[in-house]
Amino acid sequence: MRIENHPILELDRNKEKEITFTYKGKKIKAYQGETIAAALYAAGIRVLKASSKYERPRGLFCAIGNCSSCHMVVDGIPNVKTCITKVKEGMVVEEEVGKGDIVD
């Protein structure tokens, strides 16, 4: 689900570059300038991670980078805030388990 018509913003998908990235081995379509979380949401993916302690499903919550509900592993880097990180062609996005590993 993507916004196709907006009362204030002018949207023209024909002018936007379509790109793809991988999530759990599946190719996901996105548009340049979109955030990872927005592209996943548009692809029907609502659960982005599970809570650390009780493993409850977490999805897009604040959408401004203040919470940890959207943290995922992006191109091998843990704890990426997908609600404010823009998609790039060919990036690999994976679910984050627990608090995410620290990478040296």
Side-chain angles (χ1 to χ4, degrees):
M1 167 192 337
R2 280 191 170 86
I3 296 173
E4 299 296 333
N5 296 308
H6 193 278
I8 299 170
L9 302 175
E10 184 178 324
L11 300 173
D12 187 356
R13 295 286 183 217
N14 295 324
K15 293 180 181 178
E16 296 175 3
K17 182 180 178 187
E18 188 175 299
I19 60 176
T20 59
F21 67 98
T22 304
Y23 172 69
K24 295 173 83 173
K26 180 182 173 186
K27 295 287 184 186
I28 304 290
K29 179 177 85 169
Y31 290 97
Q32 192 166 3
E34 259 184 337
T35 64
I36 298 167
L40 290 172
Y41 194 88
I45 298 161
R46 302 296 187 260
V47 177
L48 302 178
K49 68 175 290 177
S51 63
S52 304
K53 189 171 183 177
Y54 297 111
E55 298 183 13
R56 294 176 181 152
R58 297 286 182 247
L60 189 58
F61 182 67
C62 76
I64 58 171
N66 284 337
C67 71
S68 61
S69 292
C70 71
H71 284 188
M72 300 182 92
V73 179
V74 178
D75 291 333
I77 301 169
N79 298 318
V80 174
K81 296 176 180 185
T82 60
C83 70
I84 58 171
T85 303
K86 294 186 180 183
V87 293
K88 293 180 185 168
E89 181 69 44
M91 73 178 2
V92 177
V93 179
E94 301 168 14
E95 287 183 10
E96 186 168 272
V97 178
K99 295 180 181 178
D101 293 329
I102 304 296
V103 178
D104 292 337

